Amino acid sequence: QITLKESGPTLVKPTQTLTLTCSFSGFSLSTSGVGVGWIRQPPGKALEWLALIYWNDEKRYSLSLKSRLTLTKDTSKNQVVLIMTNMDPVDTATYYCAHRDMGIYDDAFDIWGQGTMVTVSS
Amino acid sequence: QSVLTQPPSVSAAPGQKVTISCSGSSSNIGNNYVSWYQQLPGTAPQLLIYDNNKRPSGIPDRFSGSKSGSSATLGITGLQTGDEADYYCGTWDGSLTWVFGGGTKLTVL
């Protein structure tokens, strides 16, 4: 059974750096075709894709946020870390991580974490 | 403003059928698989449809997907009050970035 869980601060100040961790189980990020993505959702608004890291350490970033985002993975700990710099109140959102397996569902995020709400305020 | 265009809302009566459209371009829907997600109130999104028209195990066959050119459609038959949710389409855009539609709120009257 695949599960993912996001963790990190619930409140950050403007200009600070946000670090979120996605801890997962039920799969390995060293398996060919597997990836973990990050998606966020401001209150009452639509989903916005942020970034994706693959088993081979290839990374994809949202073009509009690329300069502020960094993704890393720790295969031994079954974790993916998302770093977002220069936080602004418009970054207030629920942040989700999600599993992707190209060998099963081709182009889709099949399992999502429960999400973690991050508020940016002074 | 999302790259993929969905109607903000749709509604229908219990037992009826509804369709939700997702319009894009050749750089996204036209050349990539489309997936659909259901987000019940206060919960994380759940995969409903992948590869344009396939259902993961556990998803009822009341949910269907199709794609034609640069547009995709989600269909739901036999509407139930429990289907009230936000629905999102998603796909690759230019194969390097993923995009979601703006979401559609389904109301079962």
Side-chain angles (χ1 to χ4, degrees):
Chain A
Q1 180 191 5
I2 291 174
T3 64
L4 304 98
K5 187 173 184 179
E6 308 84 353
S7 60
T10 57
L11 178 66
V12 297
K13 290 181 167 52
T15 74
Q16 286 188 336
T17 294
L18 171 69
T19 300
L20 293 175
T21 300
C22 177
S23 301
F24 56 85
S25 64
F27 68 95
S28 172
L29 202 39
S30 60
T31 300
S32 178
V34 173
V36 172
W38 283 91
I39 301 99
R40 71 178 179 180
Q41 184 174 37
K45 296 189 176 181
L47 301 173
E48 178 185 16
W49 177 79
L50 300 177
L52 173 62
I53 188 167
Y54 286 107
W55 81 100
N56 58 3
D57 212 36
E58 276 193 33
K59 298 157 192 174
R60 301 284 183 263
Y61 294 105
S62 163
L63 293 179
S64 62
L65 294 169
K66 187 173 184 177
S67 63
R68 298 174 53 205
L69 296 176
T70 302
L71 263 183
T72 61
K73 63 180 176 69
D74 187 329
T75 304
S76 64
K77 291 184 178 179
N78 283 349
Q79 290 181 336
V80 170
V81 174
L82 176 74
I83 297 172
M84 181 179 290
T85 61
N86 194 24
M87 293 293 284
D88 183 273
V90 300
D91 297 314
T92 294
T94 297
Y95 287 76
Y96 298 99
C97 60
H99 170 264
R100 183 188 176 201
D101 191 333
M102 297 163 62
I104 300 177
Y105 292 113
D106 283 324
D107 292 323
F109 295 101
D110 61 316
I111 306 294
W112 295 58
Q114 64 188 24
T116 186
M117 179 66 192
V118 178
T119 301
V120 184
S121 174
S122 55
Chain B
Q1 204 78 332
S2 177
V3 172
L4 305 180
T5 302
Q6 297 182 234
S9 63
V10 296
S11 62
Q16 296 300 304
K17 173 183 177 179
V18 71
T19 60
I20 297 173
S21 61
C22 177
S23 177
S25 68
S26 58
S27 70
N28 41 67
I29 292 178
N31 282 286
N32 293 289
Y33 285 123
V34 177
S35 51
W36 289 90
Y37 304 84
Q38 176 192 60
Q39 187 176 32
L40 297 168
T43 69
Q46 175 189 17
L47 178 63
L48 269 185
I49 297 288
Y50 68 100
D51 290 3
N52 303 331
N53 55 17
K54 299 177 183 176
R55 285 176 286 106
S57 61
I59 300 300
D61 58 6
R62 300 188 298 108
F63 296 90
S64 63
S66 64
K67 187 182 103 168
S68 177
S70 298
S71 293
T73 301
L74 173 70
I76 312 173
T77 59
L79 275 173
Q80 303 173 0
T81 55
D83 295 332
E84 284 203 339
D86 293 323
Y87 293 83
Y88 294 90
C89 57
T91 188
W92 285 105
D93 187 38
S95 77
L96 290 179
T97 61
W98 183 272
V99 288
F100 287 103
T104 298
K105 182 177 181 61
L106 169 63
T107 301
V108 181
L109 302 169

